[in-house]
Amino acid sequence: GRRVLVTREQPGRLASMLQQRGALVIHVPLISIEEPLDGGEQLASELDEIDRYDWLVVTSPAGAERVAVAAATGRVRLAAVGTSTADTLARGAGRDVDLVPSRQRADALADELIRLAGADTWRVLVAQGDLADGTLADRLRTAGHQVTDVVAYRTVARRPEVRGLVDVADADALALASGSAARSWVDAFGVRTPQIVVAIGPTTARVADEIGLKISSVAADHSLEGLVTEIERQFSRLGS
C-alpha cells in the first residue's frame, strides 16, 4: 500500500517488481531516451563492423537495446554492467552475456575485463549514453586495450505533467535509478522529496549529493532488484 515514485521514461520492470511486493507505483517520467545528435550514425557504422571487436560492452538497458541486433549476428563477446542490462541484451541478442561483474558498476566491469585479458590486448566497443562518465573506457585504455566508445542514446530531461505534480505530493518514497533521474528531479521539484529516497548505487548517490538532494540509503546490490529490496527495507525500518 505504500506509494513509490518511479521517474524512468517507461515504468517497466522496476514498476512491476514494486507492484509484486504490494506497492502503489506513481509513474512521473522525468527523462526521455532519444537518439544521439548524429542520429545514431557512428554507432551503426561501428556495429556494421562488429566482428573487428573482441568485446561489446553496454552500461544500461537503453544501450543494450540499441546494439542487440548486431550482438545476435556477430562473434563478439558481450559484457554488461549489471543484471538488468544483461537481461535486456541477452533477450535482444538471443544469447547469453559473457560477463557481468559481481559489483554492478562501470569501474568493476573494467577491472573484470582487465583481469580476464591478462597479457592480451583487446579491441573493445563501448556503447553508452551521453551522460555516462568515461571511467570504463579510460580504465581499459590505461591498461593498453583499444577502445572505441560511442554515444548510443541521449538522456533528456522532461517536465512533469500537472497530474504528476499532484501525485508527487502524496508519495511515500522515491526510487532513483540513475544520476540523470536525480538531476531531473531537482530541476522539476527542487530538493523537496518524500520521506524515503533510495539510490540504485553510489554513482547515483554521488550525483544526488552534488546537487543537494538528500538520499535515505543506497541499494547494497546495484540493480533494480537491489533498489526494490532497499526500498522495502527502509519501509520495514520505519515500521519497527
Side-chain angles (χ1 to χ4, degrees), residues 2-229:
R2 302 284 191 156
R3 298 167 65 85
V4 182
L5 278 162
V6 173
T7 67
R8 312 177 100 198
E9 181 179 37
Q10 300 295 331
R13 185 163 168 251
L14 175 58
S16 296
M17 287 191 294
L18 286 165
Q19 289 166 342
Q20 287 169 5
R21 301 196 192 191
L24 301 174
V25 175
I26 304 172
H27 181 220
V28 182
L30 296 180
I31 60 173
S32 62
I33 303 300
E34 300 183 5
E35 290 300 310
L37 293 177
D38 69 352
E41 289 184 8
Q42 184 185 6
L43 179 62
S45 176
E46 298 300 333
L47 292 177
D48 282 343
E49 300 184 66
I50 192 63
D51 285 336
R52 295 191 301 117
Y53 291 98
D54 299 296
W55 285 89
L56 171 61
V57 179
V58 289
T59 61
S60 68
E65 290 171 355
R66 284 159 174 76
V67 304
V69 172
T73 58
R75 296 187 302 273
V76 65
R77 284 181 283 183
L78 308 178
V81 76
T83 52
S84 296
T85 301
D87 289 346
T88 300
L89 182 56
R91 284 196 304 270
R95 62 186 178 105
D96 292 338
V97 173
D98 299 281
L99 177 63
V100 181
S102 54
R103 291 184 302 115
Q104 299 183 42
R105 295 169 49 173
D107 56 349
L109 178 54
D111 291 344
E112 288 284 339
L113 284 167
I114 292 167
R115 182 185 62 79
L116 284 174
D120 292 338
T121 298
W122 284 334
R123 290 180 61 90
V124 182
L125 176 62
V126 178
Q128 54 189 359
D130 62 322
L131 300 182
D133 64 29
T135 297
L136 192 153
D138 289 346
R139 285 202 182 200
L140 292 174
R141 288 193 184 102
T142 299
H145 299 287
Q146 300 176 54
V147 181
T148 301
D149 51 327
V150 181
V151 175
Y153 62 91
R154 290 184 300 134
T155 303
V156 179
R158 290 174 56 174
R159 300 297 299 179
E161 299 176 357
V162 174
R163 177 62 183 170
L165 293 172
V166 174
D167 288 340
V168 162
D170 295 327
D172 299 303
L174 169 62
L176 291 176
S178 66
S180 56
R183 292 189 187 94
S184 296
W185 176 272
V186 171
D187 288 344
F189 303 110
V191 296
R192 295 178 295 108
T193 65
Q195 184 176 11
I196 292 173
V197 182
V198 178
I200 195 170
T203 301
T204 300
R206 184 175 66 249
V207 171
D209 182 65
E210 289 171 353
I211 58 180
L213 192 62
K214 186 177 179 180
I215 299 294
S216 307
S217 63
V218 179
D221 179 52
H222 312 319
S223 65
L224 294 182
E225 179 69 32
L227 179 58
V228 173
T229 297

